[in-house]
């Protein structure tokens, strides 16, 4: 197991960072969807899966991606209104009437 951990550590780290940044809220997930529409992101993702490692990118395109990603996160958070809607199962109105 440690052989594979050493071999794929970079891939695990990148996926961990993506999860921590983009799966923390609905606006962050919206920014992730926006980021995934980018041709450069799709190309890097395809190549990484194809070669089973994080492939090196073009530094200029990486900076553009960083700027666009930060802009997407800011834009998504700016569109956020108040608290996030809670998920309920069943009819909340009935719950309060029967309580």
């Amino acid at each position: 197991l440690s052989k594979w951990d050493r071999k794929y550590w970079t891939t695990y780290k990148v996926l961990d960072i993506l999860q921590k940044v983009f799966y923390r809220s609905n606006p962050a997930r919206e920014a992730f969807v926006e980021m995934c529409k980018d041709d450069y992101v799709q190309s890097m993702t395809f190549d990484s899966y194809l070669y089973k490692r994080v492939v090196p990118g073009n530094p200029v395109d990486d900076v553009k991606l960083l700027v666009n990603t930060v802009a997407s996160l800011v834009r998504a958070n700016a569109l956020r209104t108040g608290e996030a809607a809670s998920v309920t199962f069943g009819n909340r109105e009935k719950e309060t009437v029967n309580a």
Side-chain angles (χ1 to χ4, degrees), residues 30-97:
E30 290 296 324
F32 182 73
V33 169
E34 189 174 321
M35 180 187 76
C36 289
K37 291 179 183 178
D38 186 81
D39 289 336
Y40 179 68
V41 171
Q42 292 178 13
S43 172
M44 294 296 292
T45 302
F46 178 79
D47 288 347
S48 293
Y49 278 115
L50 180 65
Y51 299 113
K52 294 180 179 37
R53 62 182 177 87
V54 177
V55 294
N58 178 335
V60 173
D61 288 335
D62 288 343
V63 170
K64 288 179 189 176
L65 175 61
L66 175 64
V67 170
N68 288 338
T69 301
V70 170
S72 292
L73 286 167
V74 169
R75 188 171 33 258
N77 279 309
L79 296 175
R80 184 179 184 174
T81 56
E83 292 294 316
S86 61
V87 177
T88 60
F89 298 98
N91 189 340
R92 182 172 264 188
E93 188 174 299
K94 283 183 182 179
E95 291 173 6
T96 56
V97 171

Side-chain angles (χ1 to χ4, degrees), residues 11-32:
T11 303
Y12 297 149
K13 195 60 169 169
V14 168
L15 292 173
D16 184 49
I17 291 168
L18 287 172
Q19 183 176 0
K20 287 179 180 174
V21 171
F22 292 107
Y23 285 87
R24 60 188 161 88
S25 68
N26 285 334
R29 283 187 283 277
E30 290 296 324
F32 182 73

